[in-house]
Short mmCIF file of all heavy atoms in Angstrom, two decimals:
data_model
loop_
_atom_site.label_atom_id
_atom_site.label_comp_id
_atom_site.label_asym_id
_atom_site.label_seq_id
_atom_site.Cartn_x
_atom_site.Cartn_y
_atom_site.Cartn_z
N GLU A 64 -196.33 -140.64 48.61
CA GLU A 64 -197.55 -141.26 48.68
C GLU A 64 -198.04 -141.82 47.36
O GLU A 64 -198.64 -142.88 47.26
CB GLU A 64 -198.57 -140.30 49.33
CG GLU A 64 -199.97 -140.90 49.58
CD GLU A 64 -200.89 -139.90 50.14
OE1 GLU A 64 -200.50 -139.01 50.96
OE2 GLU A 64 -202.07 -139.88 49.77
N TYR A 65 -197.81 -141.00 46.34
CA TYR A 65 -198.22 -141.41 44.90
C TYR A 65 -197.08 -142.13 44.13
O TYR A 65 -197.14 -142.27 42.95
CB TYR A 65 -198.68 -140.19 44.21
CG TYR A 65 -199.97 -139.63 44.68
CD1 TYR A 65 -200.03 -138.46 45.38
CD2 TYR A 65 -201.15 -140.36 44.48
CE1 TYR A 65 -201.28 -137.93 45.84
CE2 TYR A 65 -202.38 -139.90 44.96
CZ TYR A 65 -202.42 -138.72 45.64
OH TYR A 65 -203.61 -138.22 46.10
N ARG A 66 -196.11 -142.59 44.88
CA ARG A 66 -194.89 -143.24 44.25
C ARG A 66 -195.33 -144.37 43.29
O ARG A 66 -194.79 -144.41 42.18
CB ARG A 66 -193.96 -143.71 45.36
CG ARG A 66 -192.74 -144.31 44.84
CD ARG A 66 -191.95 -144.98 46.01
NE ARG A 66 -190.58 -145.40 45.48
CZ ARG A 66 -190.40 -146.54 44.86
NH1 ARG A 66 -191.42 -147.33 44.57
NH2 ARG A 66 -189.17 -146.85 44.43
N SER A 67 -196.14 -145.20 43.73
CA SER A 67 -196.43 -146.44 42.83
C SER A 67 -197.13 -146.01 41.55
O SER A 67 -196.88 -146.53 40.48
CB SER A 67 -197.27 -147.41 43.63
OG SER A 67 -198.49 -146.86 43.99
N ALA A 68 -197.96 -145.03 41.62
CA ALA A 68 -198.65 -144.54 40.38
C ALA A 68 -197.64 -143.82 39.46
O ALA A 68 -197.59 -143.95 38.27
CB ALA A 68 -199.83 -143.61 40.68
N LEU A 69 -196.79 -143.00 40.07
CA LEU A 69 -195.77 -142.23 39.29
C LEU A 69 -194.75 -143.12 38.64
O LEU A 69 -194.28 -142.84 37.62
CB LEU A 69 -195.10 -141.17 40.18
CG LEU A 69 -195.95 -139.98 40.55
CD1 LEU A 69 -195.24 -139.19 41.69
CD2 LEU A 69 -196.15 -139.07 39.37
N LEU A 70 -194.47 -144.25 39.39
CA LEU A 70 -193.42 -145.12 38.86
C LEU A 70 -193.96 -146.37 38.23
O LEU A 70 -193.35 -147.45 38.34
CB LEU A 70 -192.47 -145.52 40.04
CG LEU A 70 -191.72 -144.31 40.63
CD1 LEU A 70 -190.89 -144.75 41.88
CD2 LEU A 70 -190.84 -143.63 39.57
N ASP A 71 -195.08 -146.24 37.55
CA ASP A 71 -195.74 -147.42 36.84
C ASP A 71 -194.65 -147.95 35.86
O ASP A 71 -193.94 -147.20 35.21
CB ASP A 71 -196.93 -146.88 36.13
CG ASP A 71 -197.74 -148.05 35.53
OD1 ASP A 71 -197.22 -148.67 34.56
OD2 ASP A 71 -198.80 -148.30 36.00
N GLY A 72 -194.64 -149.26 35.79
CA GLY A 72 -193.64 -149.94 34.89
C GLY A 72 -193.76 -149.61 33.46
O GLY A 72 -192.77 -149.77 32.67
N ARG A 73 -194.90 -149.04 33.00
CA ARG A 73 -195.05 -148.73 31.58
C ARG A 73 -194.22 -147.52 31.22
O ARG A 73 -193.83 -147.31 30.07
CB ARG A 73 -196.48 -148.46 31.25
CG ARG A 73 -197.30 -149.70 31.28
CD ARG A 73 -198.77 -149.39 31.17
NE ARG A 73 -199.28 -148.90 32.44
CZ ARG A 73 -200.50 -148.43 32.60
NH1 ARG A 73 -201.38 -148.32 31.60
NH2 ARG A 73 -200.88 -148.03 33.79
N TRP A 74 -193.81 -146.63 32.23
CA TRP A 74 -193.08 -145.47 31.84
C TRP A 74 -191.92 -145.18 32.78
O TRP A 74 -191.05 -144.38 32.47
CB TRP A 74 -193.98 -144.22 31.75
CG TRP A 74 -194.77 -144.00 32.95
CD1 TRP A 74 -194.38 -143.48 34.15
CD2 TRP A 74 -196.20 -144.34 33.10
NE1 TRP A 74 -195.43 -143.43 35.06
CE2 TRP A 74 -196.57 -143.96 34.44
CE3 TRP A 74 -197.18 -144.85 32.28
CZ2 TRP A 74 -197.85 -144.09 34.89
CZ3 TRP A 74 -198.40 -144.98 32.77
CH2 TRP A 74 -198.77 -144.64 34.05
N ALA A 75 -191.79 -145.90 33.93
CA ALA A 75 -190.68 -145.59 34.79
C ALA A 75 -189.34 -145.88 34.25
O ALA A 75 -188.40 -145.17 34.43
CB ALA A 75 -190.91 -146.28 36.16
#
Side-chain angles (χ1 to χ4, degrees):
E64 185 180 321
Y65 290 109
R66 181 185 188 281
S67 63
L69 287 167
L70 297 175
D71 189 290
R73 290 172 282 174
W74 53 78

